[in-house]
Amino acid sequence: MSELVVAVETSCDETAAAVVADGREILSSVVSSQVDLHAHFGGVVPELAGRAHLERIVPVVTEALHGAGLRAGSPPVAAVAATAGPGLIGALLVGVSFAKALAMAWGVPYVGVNHLEGHLYASLLEDPAIELPAVVVLVSGGHSLIVEMTGPGAYEVLGETVDDAAGEAFDKVARFLGLTYPGGPAIEQAAAEGDPAAIAFPRPMLREGLDLSFSGLKTAVVHYVRAHPDVAGADVAASFQAAVVEILVTKAMRAAESVGARSVCLAGGVAANGALRAAFRAAAASAELGVYLPSRAMCTDNAAMIAAAAYYNLAAAGPTALGSGAEPGLAFPGHRLGTEGRAPRSRPDLSSPGAAEKI
Ligand code: KG4
Ligand code: ZN
């Protein structure tokens, strides 16, 4: 019989709930976005987010249960999960408290999930045949990480941003250009009308290593626009986007080469970007790597990815104590070794039967 996990996600400005079977089959996934609520302020207002989660959590969970054919009474679920961090504390507490209460009422385990770890499962959920090891580029509004994934729960951080996250750079540049919040989709839309080669913005830290940096690029955009007030906004958006895409694709391919990965994946909100997806796919094809791009709905925050992470974490580490809390600054669970000084691993022999580890 399949094991169902009910999960809620309330770390930022999306109230989400999902039911996932065996960590891979999405029975329902409901996302109530608060974008309209915060757009007016140009960013997420934590207090408003917490209050909105509180209002929406019951209808969103109810819809997810009904969508999966479950009744709220005492459904046959294996666990209830919630994002325990990182995120806004007032927002996280709504989901964590709600999930714990459901778990107690239903007499099933509670599983607290790291939001970043959740994002890693988006590709796996949609394509369980991903060939491992995979290099996952996790680019969201708050984090930018390059992670090697060798199996569920087995990660190693290869690189990370030394300043702003990629999504943060999109949001800040969009705000500077007077575009709407969230900035990523707004920049992508504006860029569609612009020339990506119009302005040669810098690509910080492009030439070496696997760490990322976006703050200098954002500052370069600001200086350029101040010095050229008549420049077309579409050209600025397209040229900025091209710089971010080149940085992320170059680093992903370097990481894949350095660890002998068999595939590369994108994760996180920025992975919804069409230019990034196209360039990522092309670079992976020429490096003869498998490539997995979650659907756009699975790139941005959702609870199905949290349910998938919870399923594997429950099997590996058991339930989370009901006395555990929410951690706004929760770090990514993979410790960092770096690739410097580490012997490059040879690429596994693709020709041998069973060489592809699949999960
Ligand atoms: O993963 P996510 O939904 O929430 C966090 O965990 O942060 O990511 C949100 C980030 C925002 O910075 C948003 O501007 C960015 O993802 N984003 C995009 C696109 N859609 C969302 N960035 C670039 N292009 C997009 N199409
Ligand atoms: Zn996220």
Side-chain angles (χ1 to χ4, degrees), residues 183-235:
I187 294 258
E188 181 171 11
Q189 205 182 345
E193 311 291 322
D195 175 5
I199 309 153
F201 286 130
R203 274 87 165 134
M205 300 174 71
L206 183 71
R207 307 227 173 277
E208 59 194 45
L210 298 175
D211 281 334
L212 304 157
S213 167
F214 296 105
S215 148
L217 168 59
K218 171 201 67 194
T219 309
V221 172
V222 171
H223 285 319
Y224 187 91
V225 173
R226 288 201 175 131
H228 306 84
D230 296 330
V231 67
D235 284 345

Side-chain angles (χ1 to χ4, degrees), residues 167-190:
E168 190 180 355
F170 269 98
D171 293 338
K172 286 178 174 170
V173 167
R175 193 192 299 206
F176 175 70
L177 295 177
L179 300 173
T180 53
Y181 168 84
I187 294 258
E188 181 171 11
Q189 205 182 345

